[in-house]
Amino acid sequence: MERKDILAQVQDVFREELEVDDLVLTDETTADDVEEWDSLSHVQLVVALEKSFGIKFTSREILSWDNVGDLIDCIEKKK
């Protein structure tokens, strides 16, 4: 799976979970950039991403993410 495909799938999950149809993610996007992305929605996003990609994240991995690019790097390693 190519990085652009992972980003597209991640973006679809974010749009659905955060209910923001026109959300556009980049590698540099952080929770500070998205009003709806708070601590509660972060947990929901992680669960939805795990389900969507058929993977599990460790707490250490989740805590290491500074932006969407770090999240995608983590998914790439698991795919």
Side-chain angles (χ1 to χ4, degrees), residues 55-73:
I55 58 178
K56 290 286 184 193
F57 299 114
T58 66
S59 296
R60 183 180 303 250
E61 288 169 331
I62 296 166
L63 291 171
S64 74
W65 303 335
D66 291 325
N67 54 38
V68 171
D70 292 343
L71 163 63
I72 292 172
D73 290 343

Side-chain angles (χ1 to χ4, degrees), residues 25-36:
L25 298 178
T26 68
D27 279 356
E28 293 79 30
T29 303
T30 68
D32 291 337
D33 300 324
V34 183
E35 184 178 334
E36 297 80 6

